[in-house]
Amino acid sequence: MIKDLGLCKAAAAAEEMEQVAAAGEEEEVPKAQFSDRVPIRSIISRGDGGSGLAGRKARVGGWVKTGRKADKDAFAFLEINDGSCAGNLQVIVEASVAELGQLVPTGTCVVVDGRLKLPPAGTKQKIELRADKLLHVGSVDPAKYPLPKIRLTLEFLRDFVHLRSRTNTISAVARIRNALAYATHTFFNKEGFLYVHTPIITTSDCEGAGEMFQVTTLLSEAERLEKELLQNPPPTEVEVEAARFVVQEKGEVVSQLKAAKASKQEIGAAVDQLKKSKESLAKVEERFKLKPGIPKKDDGKVDYGKDFFARQAFLTVSGQLQVESYVCALSSVYTFGPTFRAENSHTSRHLAEFWMVEPEIAFAELKDDMNCAEAYVKFMCQWLLDNCLEDMQFVADKFDKGCIDRLKLVASTPFIRVTYTEAVEILEDAVKNGKKFENEVKWGIDLASEHERYLTEVKFQKPVIVYNYPKEIKAFYMRLNDDLKTVAAMDVLVPKVGELIGGSQREERYDVIQSRIKDMGLPLEPYEWYLDLRRYGTVKHSGFGLGFERMILFATGLENIRDVIPFPRYPGRADL
Amino acid sequence: MIKDLGLCKAAAAAEEMEQVAAAGEEEEVPKAQFSDRVPIRSIISRGDGGSGLAGRKARVGGWVKTGRKADKDAFAFLEINDGSCAGNLQVIVEASVAELGQLVPTGTCVVVDGRLKLPPAGTKQKIELRADKLLHVGSVDPAKYPLPKIRLTLEFLRDFVHLRSRTNTISAVARIRNALAYATHTFFNKEGFLYVHTPIITTSDCEGAGEMFQVTTLLSEAERLEKELLQNPPPTEVEVEAARFVVQEKGEVVSQLKAAKASKQEIGAAVDQLKKSKESLAKVEERFKLKPGIPKKDDGKVDYGKDFFARQAFLTVSGQLQVESYVCALSSVYTFGPTFRAENSHTSRHLAEFWMVEPEIAFAELKDDMNCAEAYVKFMCQWLLDNCLEDMQFVADKFDKGCIDRLKLVASTPFIRVTYTEAVEILEDAVKNGKKFENEVKWGIDLASEHERYLTEVKFQKPVIVYNYPKEIKAFYMRLNDDLKTVAAMDVLVPKVGELIGGSQREERYDVIQSRIKDMGLPLEPYEWYLDLRRYGTVKHSGFGLGFERMILFATGLENIRDVIPFPRYPGRADL
């Protein structure tokens, strides 16, 4: 497993320095490679909490979390954090070094040269820094700073997305999110998958345009034109007539000269004039036709032929269909990128812009797909335990006591696998035994969130994969099973969030998928390219999609999806 | 350095098998973890070209590159490729195993169980597979298949983006692109940078809306409403009047009952009726106000308050400004994602949708920024040499003889660094010595592509960083130098593509950046959040952007940017 090399390297370098110092010399703690300071992580996230660095010089920079003056203003104690880890470094500044009043407000940025010392026995931290010199102060007026040092709710912080990464929670989430993204690339690379960038702007409208954002330049073009026509009004009909008259006149001149057998030169000059007048008429006529507003066709519909891509374009809802074209050549691929839904939902589980991981595997059946999904989720859980434990401990303390145990459980326990039919039987049994669900349970229903949570949280208390769903409730591209009633689809359900992954074996049989498209009342034409993948050299293949923010909710135990993406987009809000 | 673990693992497993076999047992070559076949790479991309696996059983799947029948149709020779590497595996099928005619067309998909054998001495390949059983054939009608086995131009292939990954060139580019993406994440993780997902949909309009795509639901909402109003016409004025009359009537009934001191029950019933009639009036009035088309404000302008985000929203042109809010808390961050330009340019160097890598470093000056850019580019070049040599050799043979040497040069040579002023002097000297440029050279111009190419390809013949540009030609956020004439900006120029990276130290001084915004005639209000980063705990920081497709062009020597992204978007085209 690839450990966090940056840390290992810094820690190794620090330990080397120790040996140098032990040999009698005195050295600075090495700086980050492209910056002017030592990351605080390199000091305090060592096995010894930093105590082995005592006596060493270091330059550190960061933002004051807590500052206070002490000993009749002879000292200031500053807890500073630079985001490289969850922990803070305590910096002690004497009044002789700097004006202390400007240093203590929460949010102040400082860069300090100093010497690492062991703190008095009995204090929590293992190392602290005595400042020799203050190199930079980015001050804060506490009366105006929007994030004072009081407990702020996550909801309040959503109004300050540009500052909220300075809080302990949002920075811990940022580090966990980063770790999960890196784990994702590491896992798929290790397994021989190629990362494919599927398009964000798409003209494949596969799940219905209703919930898609449109991408257009028509509105801004219309505004530009309106402005331009105001400044420079279009020609009137009279002006167009006048231009036509000029052409007619110039034409007559040419005819007359030809009839009079004038010199080539004279005729040439007149023809030139005629040409110019025609060009100028064409321009006038074109401008005369300009109409303010969105361009429309004769039937009154918007003329998307005039849009940037010469047709209607949308933001993608999934890269799956496009990545299938790559799997039918490269065998193991995945996409990891933003996807979009223009749904008007105001829940804690939906965003208009969110990230999805979508692997696709050729020569693979549903069983392989489930194996891959299980291995991937386990890998991410183990990765967080190995690489992000300090941040996990923070969120465990603050939000969800059980989150570390949940990661351990998922990393170590085989996932339960039940068919949809078995799952419905389990739910029906529960109802018989007195369990109340809001949504009726019977074969054929789409499992509701309450059903999924019951299976994973109550019945099995571990991750559950439900597979082989009724074809009526699933998409046309899922492979029809031999029973002709179900399709080879699967959902991975986990405690805390319910559905984390949805996937399927894809229908690779040309005739079957063609009739599935027709049966669902969809037009064939937009899917011709997709059918080509089955027409020419078809291959069985399978894949799934994981909602990346759902994974972060699952890992951290946070409740609202708006807090686990840096810049959340939802109805009415798209700050920055 | 992290090697390709998938391959190492497979190769190690294969070698282990060898030992088992040497001990007298006979084993299959291990399959890919989530699939039913051995990746061809695990067979032929070993040090011995696969010869050590002779005698072993294997199941392979792939697409026929070249197929031919031989020995009076007793055999078929199939060169198959599964995208896991550039090379093909030769599969030999006897007529007794399958109907050979269906196997030989280019593009056919086959899955074969067989035995690996050493080929006859003197043949190019080191191993081949004798088929025992054919498990799957995805056939191709050669008369219809759009990609016949003839030399197809890259331009031709752009009309078949769903199939072109089956060609040698596009699949090699896909593997190189994947390697560069993985190298990017590896490099920044190693250096302690956190990956931050900046938003795709943005309301920060920082480089002028002219070249931005708009994201909206207004057009589809208008279409939906028009359809709805056709099916269910809005009320007429008479109907509204009638509804008002009912309310009035019901109100009078209530008054009369009250005056007559009727029972509570009677009055209650009448009040209920009044309430209902009011509700129904409200609905009628609302529907009466519905107007087809885009919602407009009283001044005739589009009412974006009715749009999904309650304001105008665009596709991002860069994640820089947003990622700056994270660097002012987390110290070392980067973003890697899609960016967009609605420019009407039809060149071989521009796309409407392209990927950018944008690191941002706190406590870092321009020098650190240049060091980071140089180290990152070198890392990517070395990565390709270490992990992608076979594909690099393919593109070297086919497109650009010099591309491998170029990678070696860049990986090993320190980049030249010259100030803008020095660069202009060099160009002026060149002009004095007879060099002709289309664009005039003098201090103050923005360097044109021809100037950049001259510096990197002719003058220095290696990568060049030009820094400290005149402030007039650069963005407001770049840090003003002490000369008050230049800003701390830098561009990395490389042979073959010219500008690969643009970056700068950011202006961290509140007063300076505020007056720079004003001087440029920009409004302050949209930048208030950005100014907050300087108002509260400001920190010096620097960053840059690398055009990911430019890097692929640089590495591969391909000429057209449309061939190095899976699904290119440009004016008039957004296939799939």
Side-chain angles (χ1 to χ4, degrees):
Chain A
M1 194 164 300
I2 297 146
K3 295 276 178 164
D4 188 326
L5 297 179
L7 177 52
C8 295
K9 214 170 120 183
E15 274 156 37
E16 196 178 297
M17 285 300 127
E18 238 176 292
Q19 290 162 6
V20 171
E25 261 181 282
E26 200 175 87
E27 292 280 348
E28 273 191 73
V29 181
K31 292 175 183 169
Q33 199 168 344
F34 311 118
S35 151
D36 212 12
R37 46 92 220 191
V38 184
I40 289 176
R41 183 176 62 162
S42 304
I43 298 174
I44 66 170
S45 295
R46 303 160 27 116
D48 63 4
S51 59
L53 295 174
R56 227 56 45 81
K57 285 184 188 173
R59 175 174 297 177
V60 299
W63 289 267
V64 173
K65 288 276 168 184
T66 316
R68 63 185 172 86
K69 289 191 274 187
D71 207 6
K72 293 186 182 161
D73 296 358
F75 292 99
F77 289 99
L78 311 174
E79 296 272 341
I80 71 167
N81 181 284
D82 67 1
S84 64
C85 59
N88 304 326
L89 178 69
Q90 176 154 287
V91 176
I92 298 155
V93 189
E94 286 182 45
S96 61
V97 171
E99 198 276 286
L100 303 183
Q102 60 166 346
L103 303 183
V104 293
T106 295
T108 304
C109 180
V110 293
V111 180
V112 177
D113 270 345
R115 192 173 295 269
L116 293 164
K117 302 228 165 173
L118 294 176
T123 49
K124 205 182 62 180
Q125 65 272 16
K126 297 280 182 354
I127 194 76
E128 60 187 29
L129 187 86
R130 291 271 176 162
D132 295 327
K133 196 175 172 191
L134 215 72
L135 292 121
H136 167 77
V137 180
S139 59
V140 159
D141 177 351
K144 293 185 185 158
Y145 190 48
L147 305 184
K149 195 179 160 51
I150 54 166
R151 182 146 184 153
L152 304 164
T153 66
L154 291 173
E155 195 179 354
F156 173 85
L157 291 175
R158 273 174 232 142
D159 288 337
F160 300 94
V161 288
H162 64 302
L163 296 174
R164 68 177 182 162
S165 54
R166 301 179 181 199
T167 64
N168 295 335
T169 300
I170 300 297
S171 68
V173 168
R175 283 184 297 270
I176 289 168
R177 187 177 172 107
N178 166 71
L180 288 172
Y182 194 67
T184 296
H185 288 300
T186 303
F187 174 81
F188 286 109
N189 180 68
K190 187 171 75 71
E191 300 295 350
F193 287 65
L194 299 172
Y195 182 26
V196 173
H197 289 137
T198 47
I200 307 307
I201 299 171
T202 176
T203 52
S204 289
D205 162 21
C206 289
E207 308 209 6
E211 296 186 348
M212 291 175 96
F213 287 104
Q214 201 164 335
V215 174
T216 183
T217 52
L218 288 181
L219 289 167
S220 49
E221 275 299 305
E223 280 165 27
R224 197 195 50 72
L225 178 63
E226 261 162 61
K227 212 181 273 175
E228 203 262 335
L229 288 179
L230 269 180
Q231 284 174 350
N232 186 9
T236 60
E237 207 153 335
V238 174
E239 287 168 304
V240 177
E241 275 309 314
R244 277 192 198 126
F245 182 71
V246 173
V247 171
Q248 200 184 334
E249 252 187 0
K250 300 289 178 190
E252 278 163 19
V253 171
V254 172
S255 308
Q256 284 163 6
L257 286 171
K258 279 183 179 166
K261 307 214 164 161
S263 73
K264 264 194 179 174
Q265 214 175 359
E266 267 183 299
I267 295 176
V271 168
D272 270 359
Q273 287 229 329
L274 174 61
K275 225 163 115 189
K276 274 183 199 151
S277 69
K278 278 183 178 167
E279 282 165 8
S280 126
L281 171 62
K283 274 185 205 154
V284 169
E285 282 179 327
E286 202 188 297
R287 276 191 68 76
F288 182 70
K289 276 186 277 177
L290 289 179
K291 277 184 207 135
I294 306 285
K296 297 274 172 87
K297 290 185 295 185
D298 292 343
D299 63 2
K301 295 211 166 122
V302 176
D303 183 3
Y304 288 111
K306 297 266 185 344
D307 208 346
F308 189 88
F309 296 110
R311 54 201 287 199
Q312 245 183 318
F314 301 94
L315 291 180
T316 185
V317 295
S318 155
Q320 180 207 314
L321 300 195
Q322 287 94 344
V323 95
E324 277 190 58
S325 75
Y326 266 65
V327 87
C328 292
L330 301 174
S331 300
S332 295
V333 295
Y334 71 109
T335 174
F336 179 17
T339 52
F340 305 85
R341 296 279 154 83
E343 253 176 294
N344 197 22
S345 45
H346 293 260
T347 80
S348 63
R349 291 293 152 93
H350 291 90
L351 288 169
E353 174 177 327
F354 56 101
W355 284 64
M356 283 238 281
V357 179
E358 296 178 284
E360 194 74 27
I361 328 170
F363 311 104
E365 297 172 356
L366 189 65
K367 165 184 61 64
D368 303 301
D369 204 33
M370 294 194 275
N371 291 344
C372 183
E374 179 168 345
Y376 170 45
V377 172
K378 284 181 144 66
F379 184 88
M380 282 194 284
C381 293
Q382 190 60 47
W383 186 276
L384 288 182
L385 294 169
D386 291 342
N387 295 282
C388 244
L389 200 55
E390 200 188 0
D391 289 308
M392 284 305 306
Q393 263 149 5
F394 175 83
V395 293
D397 289 348
K398 202 154 167 201
F399 296 99
D400 183 358
K401 299 268 167 290
C403 65
I404 293 177
D405 287 339
R406 201 163 57 231
L407 291 183
K408 287 181 182 163
L409 172 81
V410 174
S412 62
T413 320
F415 292 10
I416 299 287
R417 299 185 187 189
V418 295
T419 64
Y420 168 88
T421 303
E422 287 163 350
V424 168
E425 283 164 11
I426 291 166
L427 294 168
E428 284 173 340
D429 280 351
V431 170
K432 271 182 214 149
N433 292 321
K435 170 75 190 165
K436 297 248 181 297
F437 292 117
E438 279 182 29
N439 301 278
E440 194 199 358
V441 176
K442 64 172 184 189
W443 201 96
I445 61 156
D446 206 356
L447 298 184
S449 186
E450 57 173 343
H451 303 138
E452 295 174 340
R453 303 278 293 253
Y454 176 81
L455 290 169
T456 181
E457 291 174 359
V458 180
K459 173 71 185 174
F460 294 110
Q461 299 179 28
K462 60 179 75 164
V464 179
I465 308 184
V466 180
Y467 64 99
N468 288 351
Y469 281 80
K471 68 176 178 185
E472 284 75 15
I473 59 171
K474 291 289 183 182
F476 72 88
Y477 51 72
M478 298 187 176
R479 193 178 197 278
L480 191 63
N481 285 324
D482 291 345
D483 63 13
L484 305 183
K485 281 166 56 188
T486 61
V487 289
M490 63 104 180
D491 283 353
V492 178
L493 316 177
V494 293
K496 185 84 197 175
V497 300
E499 184 188 331
L500 178 63
I501 282 176
S504 70
Q505 183 169 348
R506 319 307 188 185
E507 184 55 75
E508 89 282 13
R509 294 163 295 183
Y510 177 77
D511 294 340
V512 179
I513 196 164
Q514 200 192 34
S515 50
R516 290 271 289 152
I517 294 175
K518 284 188 201 155
D519 288 353
M520 294 215 165
L522 296 167
L524 278 177
E525 194 279 323
Y527 299 102
E528 282 301 334
W529 70 266
Y530 192 69
L531 291 170
D532 270 359
L533 304 179
R534 280 76 181 162
R535 234 178 234 126
Y536 307 119
T538 192
V539 64
K540 73 180 170 187
H541 59 288
S542 303
F544 63 82
L546 169 133
F548 193 62
E549 285 74 23
R550 290 260 174 118
M551 181 65 206
I552 306 172
L553 289 177
F554 165 76
T556 60
L558 263 66
E559 294 293 341
N560 197 314
I561 199 165
R562 297 172 186 180
D563 301 322
V564 299
I565 190 166
F567 302 91
R569 271 82 185 94
Y570 45 95
R573 284 302 277 275
D575 291 1
L576 276 58
Chain B
M1 195 164 301
I2 298 148
K3 294 277 178 165
D4 188 327
L5 297 179
L7 177 53
C8 294
K9 214 170 120 181
E15 274 156 36
E16 197 179 295
M17 286 301 127
E18 239 176 294
Q19 290 161 9
V20 172
E25 259 181 284
E26 202 175 86
E27 291 280 349
E28 273 191 73
V29 181
K31 291 175 183 168
Q33 199 167 344
F34 312 117
S35 153
D36 213 11
R37 46 91 215 188
V38 183
I40 289 176
R41 185 175 60 162
S42 304
I43 298 175
I44 66 169
S45 295
R46 303 161 26 118
D48 64 3
S51 58
L53 296 174
R56 227 55 47 78
K57 285 183 188 173
R59 175 174 296 177
V60 299
W63 290 266
V64 173
K65 288 277 169 183
T66 315
R68 64 186 172 85
K69 290 192 272 187
D71 208 5
K72 292 186 184 160
D73 296 358
F75 293 99
F77 289 99
L78 310 175
E79 296 274 340
I80 71 167
N81 181 285
D82 67 2
S84 63
C85 59
N88 304 325
L89 178 69
Q90 176 153 289
V91 176
I92 297 155
V93 189
E94 284 182 46
S96 61
V97 171
E99 198 277 286
L100 303 183
Q102 60 166 346
L103 303 183
V104 293
T106 295
T108 303
C109 180
V110 293
V111 180
V112 177
D113 270 345
R115 192 174 295 270
L116 293 165
K117 302 230 165 172
L118 294 177
T123 50
K124 207 180 62 180
Q125 63 271 17
K126 296 281 182 354
I127 195 77
E128 60 188 27
L129 187 86
R130 291 269 176 161
D132 294 327
K133 196 175 171 190
L134 216 72
L135 292 120
H136 167 76
V137 179
S139 60
V140 159
D141 178 350
K144 292 184 186 160
Y145 190 48
L147 304 185
K149 197 182 156 53
I150 54 164
R151 180 143 187 155
L152 303 164
T153 67
L154 292 172
E155 195 178 354
F156 173 86
L157 291 175
R158 272 174 233 142
D159 289 337
F160 299 93
V161 289
H162 63 301
L163 295 174
R164 67 177 184 163
S165 54
R166 302 180 180 197
T167 64
N168 295 335
T169 299
I170 300 297
S171 68
V173 167
R175 283 184 297 270
I176 290 168
R177 188 178 172 106
N178 166 71
L180 288 172
Y182 194 67
T184 296
H185 289 299
T186 303
F187 175 82
F188 287 110
N189 180 68
K190 186 171 75 74
E191 301 296 349
F193 287 65
L194 300 172
Y195 182 26
V196 174
H197 288 137
T198 47
I200 307 306
I201 298 171
T202 176
T203 52
S204 289
D205 162 19
C206 289
E207 308 210 7
E211 295 185 350
M212 292 175 95
F213 287 103
Q214 201 163 335
V215 175
T216 184
T217 51
L218 289 181
L219 290 168
S220 48
E221 276 298 305
E223 279 164 28
R224 195 195 51 72
L225 178 63
E226 261 161 62
K227 214 181 272 176
E228 203 264 332
L229 288 179
L230 270 181
Q231 284 174 350
N232 185 9
T236 60
E237 207 153 334
V238 174
E239 288 168 304
V240 178
E241 273 310 314
R244 276 192 198 127
F245 182 72
V246 174
V247 171
Q248 201 184 331
E249 252 186 0
K250 301 287 179 190
E252 277 163 18
V253 172
V254 172
S255 307
Q256 284 163 6
L257 288 171
K258 279 183 179 167
K261 305 216 165 158
S263 73
K264 262 196 180 175
Q265 216 175 355
E266 268 183 299
I267 295 177
V271 167
D272 270 357
Q273 288 230 327
L274 173 61
K275 223 164 116 186
K276 273 182 200 151
S277 68
K278 278 184 179 168
E279 281 166 9
S280 126
L281 171 62
K283 272 186 206 154
V284 169
E285 282 181 325
E286 203 187 297
R287 277 193 66 77
F288 182 70
K289 276 188 274 176
L290 288 180
K291 278 186 206 130
I294 306 286
K296 297 276 173 91
K297 290 186 296 187
D298 291 343
D299 63 2
K301 295 213 166 120
V302 175
D303 183 3
Y304 287 111
K306 298 266 186 340
D307 208 347
F308 189 88
F309 296 110
R311 55 199 288 200
Q312 244 183 318
F314 302 94
L315 291 181
T316 185
V317 295
S318 155
Q320 180 206 316
L321 300 194
Q322 287 94 342
V323 95
E324 278 189 59
S325 74
Y326 267 66
V327 88
C328 292
L330 301 174
S331 299
S332 297
V333 295
Y334 71 109
T335 174
F336 179 16
T339 52
F340 305 85
R341 296 279 154 83
E343 253 176 294
N344 196 22
S345 46
H346 292 261
T347 80
S348 62
R349 292 293 151 92
H350 292 88
L351 287 169
E353 174 177 328
F354 56 101
W355 284 64
M356 282 237 282
V357 179
E358 297 179 283
E360 194 76 27
I361 327 169
F363 312 104
E365 298 174 355
L366 189 65
K367 163 184 63 60
D368 303 300
D369 204 33
M370 294 194 276
N371 291 344
C372 183
E374 179 169 344
Y376 169 45
V377 172
K378 283 182 144 65
F379 185 88
M380 283 194 284
C381 292
Q382 191 60 48
W383 186 277
L384 288 183
L385 293 169
D386 291 342
N387 296 283
C388 245
L389 200 54
E390 200 188 1
D391 289 309
M392 284 304 306
Q393 263 149 3
F394 175 83
V395 292
D397 289 348
K398 202 155 166 202
F399 296 100
D400 182 358
K401 299 267 166 291
C403 66
I404 294 179
D405 287 338
R406 202 162 57 231
L407 292 182
K408 287 182 182 164
L409 173 81
V410 173
S412 62
T413 320
F415 292 10
I416 298 288
R417 299 186 187 188
V418 295
T419 64
Y420 169 88
T421 303
E422 288 163 349
V424 168
E425 283 165 10
I426 290 166
L427 294 169
E428 284 173 339
D429 280 351
V431 170
K432 272 182 213 147
N433 292 321
K435 169 76 192 164
K436 298 249 180 296
F437 292 117
E438 278 182 28
N439 302 278
E440 194 197 0
V441 176
K442 64 173 183 188
W443 202 96
I445 60 157
D446 207 354
L447 298 184
S449 186
E450 55 173 344
H451 304 138
E452 296 173 340
R453 303 278 293 253
Y454 176 81
L455 292 169
T456 182
E457 290 175 359
V458 180
K459 173 73 184 175
F460 294 111
Q461 298 179 27
K462 61 179 75 165
V464 179
I465 309 184
V466 180
Y467 64 98
N468 288 351
Y469 282 79
K471 67 176 178 184
E472 284 74 15
I473 59 172
K474 291 289 183 183
F476 73 89
Y477 51 72
M478 299 189 176
R479 193 178 197 277
L480 191 62
N481 285 323
D482 291 345
D483 62 14
L484 304 183
K485 282 166 57 188
T486 61
V487 289
M490 62 104 179
D491 283 352
V492 178
L493 316 177
V494 293
K496 185 85 196 173
V497 300
E499 184 187 332
L500 178 63
I501 282 176
S504 70
Q505 184 169 349
R506 319 307 187 186
E507 184 55 76
E508 89 281 13
R509 293 163 296 184
Y510 177 77
D511 295 338
V512 180
I513 197 164
Q514 200 192 35
S515 48
R516 290 272 288 151
I517 294 175
K518 284 187 201 154
D519 289 352
M520 294 214 167
L522 296 168
L524 278 178
E525 194 279 323
Y527 298 102
E528 282 301 333
W529 71 266
Y530 192 70
L531 291 169
D532 270 359
L533 304 179
R534 280 76 183 163
R535 237 178 229 124
Y536 307 118
T538 192
V539 64
K540 74 180 169 187
H541 60 288
S542 304
F544 63 82
L546 169 133
F548 193 61
E549 284 75 22
R550 289 259 176 119
M551 181 65 206
I552 306 172
L553 288 178
F554 165 75
T556 59
L558 262 66
E559 293 293 340
N560 197 314
I561 201 165
R562 297 171 187 180
D563 302 322
V564 299
I565 190 166
F567 302 91
R569 272 81 184 93
Y570 45 94
R573 283 303 276 275
D575 292 0
L576 274 57

